[in-house]
Amino acid sequence: MTEERPIISLKNVKIVYKNTKPTGYRTFLKKLIGKNTDEQQTGNAFTAVDGVTFDMFKGETVGIVGANGSGKSTLLRAIAGIYGIDGGRMRINCDRTSLLALGVGFQSRLPGRTNIYLSGYAMGFSKDEIEEKMDEIIEFSELGDFIDKPVKTYSSGMYSKLAFSISSVLTTDVLLIDEVLSVGDIRFQKKSSAKIKGMINDSGRSVVIVSQSVGNLKELCSKVLWLNNSKQMMFGEAGEVLEAYSKYMYGEN
């Protein structure tokens, strides 16, 4: 019997932000004539994720928890293919992943309907596959006539509703959710929460959730990764990791 292959596998993953220093007019002229230093080119580097290792299998729901600036969103974007890694190994053994995060992926001057197509293409879907799900996406989003208006005219709640609807209706092998468990008004939050639970109960889909809500992660996740100051503190069963995280955050021994 062959051993099941992880759908996501990370080994000592490291991600470094290479900051570029502001360039003044004189510095720009020096660059033109080749008199720039390495420091001027790259500035200071910042390690956002350092030494993260875990395996995730098909059908699992994994939470990522940690204080602000701990590297949670950076790691999620690396799994989504938005960021590259600077060390270690990362293998994503599936055809399609989708990232549900506010501020990612929409062209503000284009209508919501066009953005559905663009998001679907980016997720690996064909035009026919997107059109097959178009009515369902629009209906779930509750945007009505606004679906044909530019996204820049949307409120933050409307924007997040559309983003959630696309990622939840267009089914991918792995769904990555970044701090958007409470989108829209209270009624839509209940609807989106039920949708997420339905996706989690689908044994064919794997979900990674970034959140600072211990309650949500405890309810939704089977395993949790705890990050602190870019480093991995724990990875394991949700209850055990979240208990240790809560004690740490509240200063308990």
Side-chain angles (χ1 to χ4, degrees):
M1 182 177 179
T2 58
E3 186 176 349
E4 182 184 2
R5 182 175 67 166
I7 195 166
I8 296 175
S9 181
L10 279 66
K11 179 70 174 179
N12 292 324
V13 165
K14 184 175 185 178
I15 303 171
V16 179
Y17 288 143
K18 301 173 181 66
N19 300 323
T20 301
K21 290 186 175 181
T23 302
Y25 179 69
R26 291 183 180 179
T27 302
F28 175 72
L29 290 178
K30 288 180 180 180
K31 287 184 178 182
L32 285 179
I33 61 176
K35 293 183 178 180
N36 55 315
T37 65
D38 290 340
E39 183 181 6
Q40 288 169 335
Q41 291 178 14
T42 61
N44 298 318
F46 169 73
T47 301
V49 175
D50 190 6
V52 171
T53 298
F54 73 89
D55 288 334
M56 175 179 176
F57 294 87
K58 183 178 179 179
E60 286 189 323
T61 300
V62 172
I64 304 179
V65 72
N68 290 334
S70 59
K72 305 185 300 297
S73 294
T74 298
L75 181 61
L76 204 68
R77 281 159 173 73
I79 295 173
I82 296 173
Y83 297 157
I85 65 172
D86 299 283
R89 185 198 72 206
M90 179 170 64
R91 292 178 180 168
I92 311 299
N93 298 312
C94 65
D95 296 326
R96 292 170 173 172
T97 63
S98 60
L99 172 63
L100 177 53
L102 297 182
V104 175
F106 287 163
Q107 298 296 316
S108 63
R109 295 185 179 182
L110 298 178
R113 189 185 301 271
T114 304
N115 275 289
I116 293 175
Y117 281 108
L118 294 177
S119 297
Y121 293 147
M123 292 159 62
F125 291 91
S126 68
K127 182 180 179 181
D128 289 343
E129 289 174 318
I130 297 168
E131 289 180 344
E132 183 180 346
K133 298 288 187 178
M134 180 67 72
D135 290 344
E136 185 179 351
I137 293 170
I138 294 172
E139 181 180 357
F140 194 93
S141 73
E142 303 176 352
L143 291 177
D145 292 340
F146 274 94
I147 197 65
D148 292 310
K149 297 184 183 299
V151 168
K152 66 180 180 181
T153 66
Y154 290 10
S155 66
S156 60
M158 294 165 66
Y159 186 104
S160 59
K161 283 181 177 181
L162 181 59
F164 184 90
S165 300
I166 294 170
S167 294
S168 61
V169 172
L170 292 177
T171 304
T172 57
D173 300 307
V174 176
L175 175 62
L176 310 169
I177 302 174
D178 189 5
E179 295 284 9
V180 289
L181 293 177
S182 299
V183 298
D185 52 35
I186 294 177
R187 188 184 57 77
F188 192 86
Q189 288 176 22
K190 292 181 178 179
K191 187 169 79 166
S192 60
S193 178
K195 186 73 171 178
I196 290 175
K197 290 177 182 178
M199 291 186 289
I200 290 171
N201 291 330
D202 178 0
S203 60
R205 177 179 268 198
S206 306
V207 183
V208 183
I209 302 174
V210 165
S211 178
Q212 294 195 51
S213 171
V214 171
N216 282 332
L217 294 181
K218 189 173 183 179
E219 178 185 3
L220 299 172
C221 302
S222 55
K223 295 180 180 178
V224 170
L225 170 68
W226 171 18
L227 299 180
N228 186 55
N229 292 328
S230 80
K231 296 184 180 296
Q232 179 171 329
M233 299 289 282
M234 288 181 70
F235 175 75
E237 296 302 315
E240 181 181 355
V241 175
L242 291 171
E243 181 180 2
Y245 169 72
S246 296
K247 288 182 178 179
Y248 177 85
M249 293 301 290
Y250 288 106
E252 299 177 16
N253 295 325

